[in-house]
Amino acid sequence: MKLKKLVGLSSALALSAMSLVAQEAKPVELKQQFEQLLLLQKQQAEQIESLKKQLEAIKGQPVTPGGKVTPPDVKIQDLERRVSELTNNWASKPWLVEQKWKPGDPIGLGRSGASYLNMSLIGLFTTGTSTANDIGALQPGGHDPNQRGFTVQNIETVFEGMVDPYFRGQANLIYGMDASGESLFELEEVYLETLSLPGNLQLKAGQFFTEFGRLNPSHPHSWSFVDQPLINNRMFGADGMRNPGARLSWLLPTPFYSEFFMTIQNSHGPNAYSFRGAGHAHGDEAEEGALVSTFRHPDNDRGVKTITDMLFTPRLVTSFELTDSQTVLMGVSAAFGPNNSGEENFASKTVTQIVGADFTWKWKPTNHTKGFPFVTWKTEAMLRKNQVGAFDWSSEEDEDDNGKFDAGVLVDTMNNGTKFAAVMAAETLTDYGAYTEFLYGFRPGWVAGIRYDWVGGKRGAYEKRGLLKADNETDNQSLTEEAGPDHSRGDRWRLSPNITWYPSEFSKIRLQYNYDDRKHIGHDHSIWLQFEFLLGSHGAHKF
Amino acid sequence: MKNLFSLLAALGLLTGVAHAKLNVVATLPDFASLAEDIGGDKVKVISLTKGTEDPHFVDAKPSFIRVLNQADVLLEGGAELELGWLPPLVQNARNPRILPNAPGHIVLAHGLKLLEIPTQLDRSQGDVHAAGNPHFNLGPANFKPMAEIIAATFARLDPANAAYYAANLKRFSERLTDKLIEWEKLAAPLRGVKVITYHKSFEYLAATYGFNIVGQIEPKPGIEPTATHINALIPNAKAAGVKLVMMEPNRARKTPQFVADSIGAKLVICPILVGGSPEAKNCCDLIDCNLRALVKALQN
């Protein structure tokens, strides 16, 4: 009974000490009271220990000579109850936890989701070599390795947090370095996202990656390969499709997950590559600007006159579990918008349409450790119909070394004076491609992967004119079989096995081999070693 | 027009019926088990994590967005346990009831005294969690405060059934008290026993029942074992007189088995979540089955 009193007294003391702390905050008193608390804690611990010792002493006795265990004594139970109550009491008094400043508040460097601003810095580098002499065209992605030796692929700073009760904000600012060593800055993504619109809607607005397929909206650091799939480069250019705009998404009231996204963005600028955006890119492949100009002058500056001058991207995605360990995600996307090939004085506006389908399957057993083992199979396919307008070279004032224009006739001085009709007819160009990749996480931290890339296109009438022949300095084989194919749209495939080691969630080392086969150019071997680190808060991974 | 109104009324009624039960989503089966104990037939409980999974590395499956969209209550452990997968799901769920700090979003760690709160954060020390060790679901002393938080939440969101939840909480607390006594007796032989664990999953169990964790198979939290570390661990453990090596069921057994054999200790597989083994059907069974396994290994 003495004990009971003691416990009661000590708790009362503790409580009164706490209320004192709350009232007065003089440092000396605080310190004294804290010491008192610690003392109390110590006393209580000693009490528990002594109680437990008593218990053990009692428990040591109960075996009777007959070998039978005596029924538990009421007294023992009482004692035990008090022991557990004491331990219980301790844990349920959160005020006993020291309230210290933690590096997590209010600017988060160590975690995410609970502070004003979470910050992180990601560094992504590669080193390696290739048999190709035109690495810029071989590795057309803006964050691909761009030369023999070392490449700074992507230095990404991320700022993320809750803006207010209505919005979440995020900014991904990218630093890079081109092959010549010149530093680059990219406003990759800066957007806000609503938190609780009614009707299961969500609005995103700002500058952001277009919701098309699986890879386009993701950042290079989350990719499973050193480089961007070829089809993404063909369709969306070196840096992916992203532009200022807004996206509304609706969580459909289906029993399984399905979501519909509608994105409206500006259709001009280098990041609307298939639309009004040709002319700029990191690699040679895109720099030729042949995609939409196709020997027509690009018309990037006509501005926005009607809503059809904007870029529209609808996407529907659905996901469900086949079993506890297998998840499937399927999506269809499309992008519609004007392109820059049709000159205003030449009839109607020309448009580009891209459609895509994607499929992801993941197996991860329910007894995984650290997320391993797993197998992921991901495939994306895309098709583009690209209208190019009619164009009359004889209307051009400009003359350069490549040819001169005479009353409806173009003379190619670089090519034995071959003559062509100066008017190029309107046509629709078709390009397509796909990639499929397998990833196998075979033991904690280790992932083996293989990706197959394939891109191609139907030859356009403009290619058959032979105009491209003179431009192809990179050719290393004869062009006798076909006149002047446009290499930026030519057939190509690539096989990329790789292996990645994640020493922790905050770093990775990846070795990748690429076998490239480009029609009319030849095949090449490349080997790249990628390394990455992450400082600061680690954002969660999406599926 | 009249028809439209009656249709709307019917719809309203339907949704009313649908909301009659509180939709509870728990990140771990342990929290789901407590929610079922308190909520009884007035709640519908779903756990996002399976008991056999590694709770740090759950996939953010899109289907979870659907589940969270319907939730009235989200029970999260907190202490960074679900950090790698939960935040984007909550943000995309379009459900103001469970947004961070909303009345329906409960972070259980906030009401508990966590162990191993680091005095400094340094990632060179491995996966150290700023708020402390997040495996508090293995601490029997935490069950009561967790149940209290859950009961208070249910009562606040569903005041009509407040008395029901209070009665369930009382019943649970009584059963728990009996269990605590039972475990205290059961675990008596474990007091002072030296053990090694794979990951820092068992600190709360050790703190409650007085066995001493003297080392880990992992060199640092979340870092895979290395030969150097194991070679140093074995003689130290031998010198300390380690009797048991505890590990989670989902990890590779080769290294811990080797360590156990080298020091003459027993390897004990201990589930760390409800559902981690067939016997661990709820929070109390989980403690039961772990203590029994440990005592059995010690006696053999």
Side-chain angles (χ1 to χ4, degrees):
Chain A
M1 293 310 105
K2 214 171 121 192
L3 246 164
K4 203 171 179 181
K5 261 187 201 160
L6 240 172
V7 173
L9 196 72
S10 62
S11 316
L13 250 172
L15 277 171
S16 58
M18 276 318 289
S19 60
L20 270 172
V21 171
Q23 284 162 12
E24 306 259 335
K26 284 175 194 158
V28 182
E29 278 179 34
L30 261 177
K31 202 183 163 213
Q32 281 173 359
Q33 281 154 5
F34 186 64
E35 275 163 5
Q36 269 181 341
L37 266 177
L38 285 179
L39 195 71
L40 276 169
Q41 230 175 316
K42 210 179 146 197
Q43 282 171 355
Q44 285 187 334
E46 279 162 7
Q47 284 164 24
I48 294 176
E49 275 310 306
S50 73
L51 273 170
K52 285 183 176 169
K53 269 183 197 143
Q54 284 179 45
L55 251 178
E56 273 164 27
I58 300 169
K59 273 181 195 156
Q61 298 163 1
V63 183
T64 55
K68 281 181 186 169
V69 178
T70 51
D73 192 349
V74 184
K75 222 172 165 185
I76 303 179
Q77 283 200 352
D78 197 36
L79 266 173
E80 280 172 331
R81 199 180 295 268
R82 227 167 287 141
V83 172
S84 54
E85 271 170 10
L86 256 179
T87 25
N88 208 351
N89 229 11
W90 261 33
S92 60
K93 295 282 182 287
W95 44 262
L96 275 177
V97 181
E98 271 184 71
Q99 295 295 335
K100 271 197 223 165
W101 181 84
K102 289 198 281 306
D105 326 300
I107 290 183
L109 292 166
R111 55 182 172 158
S112 73
S115 51
Y116 296 158
L117 178 62
N118 302 302
M119 296 190 284
S120 62
L121 178 85
I122 299 160
L124 194 60
F125 303 87
T126 348
T127 179
T129 189
S130 171
T131 57
N133 290 320
D134 56 336
I135 294 177
L138 183 81
Q139 299 279 177
H143 300 289
D144 287 1
N146 56 22
Q147 59 189 335
R148 290 181 190 148
F150 292 85
T151 300
V152 181
Q153 285 187 289
N154 187 34
I155 309 299
E156 184 176 343
T157 50
V158 189
F159 302 88
E160 187 267 347
M162 296 293 172
V163 177
D164 57 21
Y166 312 105
F167 303 109
R168 188 184 77 83
Q170 182 167 337
N172 297 62
L173 310 177
I174 306 290
Y175 299 88
M177 202 180 260
D178 67 14
S180 63
E182 202 62 41
S183 286
L184 307 164
F185 172 76
E186 276 172 22
L187 198 62
E188 191 165 58
E189 287 202 289
V190 182
Y191 62 84
L192 59 80
E193 209 168 33
T194 61
L195 292 169
S196 48
L197 275 191
N200 284 339
L201 295 171
Q202 190 172 51
L203 186 71
K204 184 177 186 174
Q207 153 84 355
F208 56 91
F209 277 119
T210 313
E211 196 77 36
F212 189 112
R214 293 285 279 160
L215 191 105
N216 189 64
S218 67
H219 292 273
H221 107 96
S222 64
W223 296 350
S224 307
F225 291 80
V226 167
D227 39 20
Q228 159 174 294
L230 295 174
I231 185 61
N232 282 74
N233 189 72
R234 286 276 164 103
M235 299 293 160
F236 308 129
D239 281 328
M241 182 153 67
R242 58 190 162 86
N243 248 351
R247 185 195 84 184
L248 190 67
S249 73
W250 180 39
L251 196 62
L252 272 69
T254 47
F256 48 88
Y257 166 82
S258 47
E259 191 167 357
F260 179 72
F261 301 88
M262 188 69 207
T263 311
I264 173 165
Q265 286 168 307
N266 289 345
S267 64
H268 60 273
N271 300 312
Y273 175 76
S274 285
F275 302 91
R276 295 193 288 155
H280 158 89
H282 296 282
D284 292 348
E285 179 162 2
E287 250 165 24
E288 286 174 4
L291 169 71
V292 280
S293 64
T294 54
F295 285 83
R296 293 147 171 91
H297 279 184
D299 170 28
N300 290 320
D301 305 323
R302 71 166 171 267
V304 176
K305 289 186 180 123
T306 70
I307 189 123
T308 54
D309 285 325
M310 304 299 286
L311 167 60
F312 292 87
T313 312
R315 171 166 169 81
L316 180 66
V317 62
T318 182
S319 170
F320 46 87
E321 272 102 70
L322 296 176
T323 67
D324 281 346
S325 53
Q326 291 180 63
T327 307
V328 161
L329 184 142
M330 292 182 286
V332 284
S333 316
F336 309 103
N339 65 44
N340 59 6
S341 92
E343 294 238 350
E344 261 181 307
N345 49 348
F346 262 95
S348 59
K349 193 183 293 179
T350 51
V351 300
T352 297
Q353 301 178 340
I354 307 175
V355 292
D358 56 86
F359 176 83
T360 309
W361 171 86
K362 184 166 184 180
W363 169 82
K364 182 161 148 183
T366 51
N367 63 347
H368 63 85
T369 174
K370 298 170 87 177
F372 291 84
F374 69 86
V375 177
T376 308
W377 176 35
K378 190 162 88 180
T379 301
E380 275 191 74
M382 296 175 211
L383 170 77
R384 180 180 61 205
K385 293 278 186 186
N386 181 31
Q387 293 177 348
V388 291
F391 190 77
D392 186 356
W393 276 97
S394 58
S395 69
E396 295 291 310
E397 301 279 314
D398 170 68
E399 273 189 44
D400 58 24
D401 292 343
N402 288 338
K404 59 182 183 185
F405 319 115
D406 254 341
V409 177
L410 171 61
V411 183
D412 187 350
T413 51
M414 300 284 282
N415 197 22
N416 307 325
T418 317
K419 291 179 181 178
F420 302 97
V423 176
M424 302 175 83
E427 60 174 318
T428 299
L429 303 172
T430 305
D431 295 88
Y432 39 77
Y435 74 89
T436 185
E437 66 183 42
F438 276 97
L439 298 173
Y440 174 34
F442 54 98
R443 53 178 292 182
W446 287 87
V447 182
I450 188 159
R451 179 186 64 194
Y452 176 74
D453 269 299
W454 163 76
V455 285
K458 285 187 186 149
R459 285 192 70 192
Y462 77 97
E463 290 175 87
K464 291 169 186 160
R465 297 163 68 106
L467 287 165
L468 282 147
K469 209 179 269 182
D471 282 348
N472 292 321
E473 290 162 15
T474 56
D475 283 2
N476 51 18
Q477 69 180 62
S478 110
L479 286 172
T480 46
E481 69 247 44
E482 269 182 274
D486 184 348
H487 288 172
S488 71
R489 297 182 50 241
D491 289 356
R492 175 177 180 183
W493 66 270
R494 178 170 75 182
L495 191 67
S496 316
N498 76 4
I499 187 156
T500 311
W501 177 46
Y502 296 85
S504 75
E505 294 155 74
F506 308 102
S507 59
K508 74 173 174 232
I509 298 167
R510 171 175 290 151
L511 184 66
Q512 179 171 319
Y513 163 77
N514 283 351
Y515 177 83
D516 267 280
D517 188 349
R518 289 181 285 177
K519 199 172 178 184
H520 307 297
I521 295 177
H523 51 84
D524 284 295
H525 309 271
S526 315
I527 190 141
W528 307 113
L529 181 72
Q530 185 182 44
F531 45 100
E532 183 195 75
F533 68 88
L534 186 153
L535 289 176
S537 66
H538 191 319
H541 291 284
K542 291 188 175 179
F543 183 77
Chain B
M1 210 54 200
K2 220 175 184 179
N3 279 344
L4 187 72
F5 275 127
S6 53
L7 190 74
L8 277 175
L11 264 174
L13 214 69
L14 269 173
T15 46
V17 170
H19 280 268
K21 278 192 178 192
L22 272 185
N23 265 323
V24 181
V25 178
T27 55
L28 300 190
D30 301 57
F31 310 146
S33 147
L34 288 172
E36 272 163 2
D37 281 329
I38 303 303
D41 55 8
K42 307 282 185 216
V43 300
K44 191 170 146 259
V45 186
I46 297 174
S47 167
L48 298 180
T49 305
K50 298 262 179 318
T52 48
E53 282 190 276
D54 182 338
H56 295 287
F57 296 90
V58 176
D59 270 339
K61 292 178 187 170
S63 63
F64 292 169
I65 295 175
R66 185 80 233 145
V67 171
L68 288 169
N69 178 257
Q70 304 290 314
D72 296 308
V73 183
L74 169 63
L75 298 173
E76 182 193 353
E80 304 184 354
L81 184 69
E82 301 97 338
L83 192 64
W85 53 279
L86 191 64
L89 294 173
V90 172
Q91 281 153 18
N92 285 327
R94 293 127 222 250
N95 182 350
R97 296 185 297 273
I98 55 145
L99 281 174
N101 301 321
H105 187 139
I106 304 304
V107 181
L108 291 165
H110 288 173
L112 303 172
K113 186 191 175 193
L114 299 196
L115 299 175
E116 301 185 318
I117 297 172
T119 48
Q120 57 180 44
L121 284 179
D122 177 359
R123 283 201 182 135
S124 70
Q125 298 312 305
D127 249 338
V128 175
H129 299 288
N133 187 317
H135 299 283
F136 54 80
N137 62 305
L138 275 173
N142 297 327
F143 290 177
K144 198 170 169 220
M146 287 199 283
E148 278 167 357
I149 297 166
I150 292 170
T153 307
F154 288 180
R156 197 169 56 237
L157 297 173
D158 180 19
N161 290 315
Y164 176 81
Y165 300 129
N168 280 350
L169 174 65
K170 189 158 174 282
R171 198 171 319 124
F172 176 79
S173 303
E174 282 166 6
R175 207 175 73 223
L176 180 67
T177 311
D178 292 343
K179 278 285 178 191
L180 283 169
I181 295 167
E182 192 187 319
W183 293 331
E184 199 71 30
K185 280 190 208 158
L186 180 66
L190 295 175
R191 188 157 295 277
V193 170
K194 302 240 177 9
V195 307
I196 284 178
T197 67
Y198 196 108
H199 180 66
K200 285 181 168 247
S201 303
F202 304 102
E203 316 305 300
Y204 291 89
L205 201 63
T208 312
Y209 296 111
F211 54 88
N212 297 336
I213 297 175
V214 298
Q216 276 80 30
I217 305 273
E218 288 182 332
K220 281 164 188 174
I223 305 294
E224 285 299 293
T226 58
T228 330
H229 173 69
I230 297 296
N231 287 340
L233 182 70
I234 290 172
N236 287 344
K238 222 181 228 170
V242 168
K243 296 262 172 35
L244 301 172
V245 176
M246 294 173 74
M247 69 175 287
E248 303 80 2
N250 48 4
R251 296 184 191 273
R253 298 200 185 162
K254 209 175 132 195
T255 310
Q257 188 67 59
F258 171 74
V259 172
D261 291 347
S262 308
I263 59 178
K266 278 261 160 51
L267 179 66
V268 196
I269 314 290
C270 296
I272 58 163
L273 295 177
V274 167
S277 78
E279 311 89 66
K281 289 188 189 70
N282 56 47
C283 288
C284 293
D285 289 353
L286 177 68
I287 303 296
D288 254 348
C289 101
N290 277 337
L291 290 181
R292 275 179 216 290
L294 290 170
V295 172
K296 195 178 156 209
L298 200 62
Q299 282 164 351
N300 282 343

